[in-house]
Amino acid sequence: MAIDPRSTSTGGGTRGRLADLASYAGVSEATVSRVLNDRPGVAASTRQAVLTALDVLGYERPSKLKRSSAGLIGLVVPELTNPVFPMFAQIVETQLAAAGYTPVLCTQTPGGVHEDEYVQMLLARGVSGIVFVSGFHADTRASIDRYVELRRRGLPIALINGYREGVDATFISHDDVASMKVAVRHLRELGHTRIGFATGPPRYVPVQRRTAGFRAAMQGVPGVDVDEMICTTLFTVEGGAAAALQLIEAGATAIVAGSDVMALGVLRSARQLGLRVPHDLSVIGGDDVPFMAFVDPPLTTVRMDVNGMAEAAATAVLEEIAGEPVEHREYLFAPELILRQSTVAPPA
């Protein structure tokens, strides 16, 4: 549940508040009432779930239940329609909660609350640190001043996927260059030479790195104009579908997608054109979100180490809060090629 910084009061009435808290915490309204009134007979884990719901949903705690704001850590993520972002959020939240902190999830949506607005809200609540997932730090057109200012304040932060020079903080990144090399190597070993790359907007750091990795991996392939085999669109199903049409027209017998969501669009366009995957067109995705093993055909993909990356980001923030020495640099996490059934040798 994303917090709305424009509504942090207990507006909506007591009944509405009890219903909201009960739904979020997965308990009855009666249990919520007992916790709010600090009555006995409630399990410690249940009590903590209700208190977490109070913090995350933006309701003010009763005075007897107030805790130090040092227990709050912000987690800023993009939209949740791409399954990889909820995966990051769940693991980071679990790590923070296990350490006794309350994660405050801030979800960005197109036309919704801006990252800077969320940061101001989090600072007003006195958070002890913030974890950013694929935020403005990943956009080379965006200023890094917002992060420099947070570090000037001494706030521990960790930034996932999107390294920027000049920010004295911990960066956790998927090795995008290596991910393209393992994907292209697999396709070339199968015999493909006309390999296309479908990815998102080129202003993003991961896109720039993957494009560089793709170019490096395609060096030495005879008779291929690499520029013609790269298509930048959007990180959506529709973006993948549009890129696939262009790359198939260019003669691609295999397509590496910048994400699993884009790969779904590639599969859709292939079917619309009457092509069989993998017999007529091989497809490789990226990230390895859980349901990729259940699409038709099961998708070969390059797995991002979401667990390791999320845990590393949370650990870096927690250690810095605790006053332990943390080396501020970028940590790269190696990709893993997950072979399923969407890649075979090219058609004769």
Side-chain angles (χ1 to χ4, degrees):
M1 176 76 67
I3 194 167
D4 186 349
R6 296 165 294 190
S7 177
T8 57
S9 68
T10 56
T14 302
R15 292 289 300 177
R17 179 177 64 163
L18 289 176
D20 287 347
L21 294 170
S23 175
Y24 189 93
V27 299
S28 68
E29 292 184 25
T31 298
V32 172
S33 180
R34 294 183 70 84
V35 173
L36 295 182
N37 289 289
D38 201 23
R39 293 175 181 168
V42 181
S45 59
T46 301
R47 184 179 298 274
Q48 184 57 49
V50 174
L51 295 178
T52 299
L54 274 169
D55 295 332
V56 173
L57 295 179
Y59 291 117
E60 184 178 355
R61 292 190 182 201
S63 57
K64 66 181 74 175
L65 299 177
K66 285 187 177 179
R67 61 179 289 176
S68 169
S69 59
L72 302 178
I73 295 179
L75 173 57
V76 182
V77 301
E79 40 75 29
L80 297 179
T81 53
N82 185 331
V84 74
F85 297 130
M87 290 169 62
F88 272 113
Q90 181 178 8
I91 298 164
V92 171
E93 287 183 327
T94 299
Q95 286 284 108
L96 298 179
Y101 286 84
T102 298
V104 182
L105 177 61
C106 303
T107 306
Q108 300 182 76
T109 55
V113 180
H114 192 275
E115 179 179 303
D116 291 339
E117 294 178 279
Y118 274 131
V119 168
Q120 291 307 311
M121 176 272 294
L122 292 170
L123 292 176
R125 286 169 172 254
V127 293
S128 300
I130 303 176
V131 176
F132 294 90
V133 181
S134 298
F136 282 114
H137 63 282
D139 187 342
T140 58
R141 296 183 185 177
S143 170
I144 63 172
D145 291 348
R146 53 178 59 87
Y147 308 111
V148 172
E149 173 61 21
L150 291 176
R151 292 301 299 136
R152 188 190 66 78
R153 290 168 172 253
L155 188 75
I157 63 175
L159 304 104
I160 296 177
N161 280 340
Y163 177 73
R164 301 290 295 278
E165 289 279 356
V167 180
D168 181 31
T170 299
F171 288 86
I172 306 295
S173 299
H174 177 60
D175 192 337
D176 296 296
V177 173
S179 72
M180 289 297 99
K181 289 183 177 179
V182 298
V184 172
R185 183 190 307 124
H186 169 62
L187 293 171
R188 291 186 65 178
E189 288 174 350
L190 290 174
H192 291 274
T193 57
R194 304 289 299 178
I195 302 170
F197 177 40
T199 188
R203 68 178 185 269
Y204 294 111
V205 173
V207 172
Q208 294 176 0
R209 288 179 168 183
R210 292 191 185 197
T211 301
F214 179 78
R215 289 183 181 279
M218 290 292 287
Q219 281 186 352
V221 179
V224 176
D225 182 349
V226 177
D227 289 335
E228 186 183 21
M229 305 307 291
I230 298 173
C231 183
T232 56
T233 56
L234 299 174
F235 280 118
T236 61
V237 172
E238 293 76 17
L245 293 176
Q246 177 178 321
L247 294 170
I248 291 169
E249 184 177 354
T253 61
I255 295 176
V256 180
S259 70
D260 288 335
V261 171
M262 291 191 77
L264 294 178
V266 174
L267 295 176
R268 187 172 73 180
S269 282
R271 290 195 178 94
Q272 289 175 345
L273 293 173
L275 299 177
R276 300 167 301 160
V277 175
H279 306 291
D280 301 316
L281 180 73
S282 289
V283 180
I284 296 182
D287 301 336
D288 192 31
V289 298
F291 58 82
M292 287 300 103
F294 304 101
V295 300
D296 183 24
L299 188 70
T300 294
T301 188
V302 180
R303 175 178 292 166
M304 182 186 297
D305 185 6
V306 174
N307 282 7
M309 293 169 65
E311 290 175 0
T315 298
V317 170
L318 291 170
E319 288 181 348
E320 194 161 349
I321 291 172
E324 299 179 22
V326 176
E327 185 178 359
H328 290 155
R329 65 178 183 87
E330 183 180 29
Y331 297 85
L332 291 177
F333 283 71
E336 179 184 2
L337 181 66
I338 306 300
L339 294 176
R340 296 196 179 102
Q341 298 172 28
S342 63
T343 54
V344 294

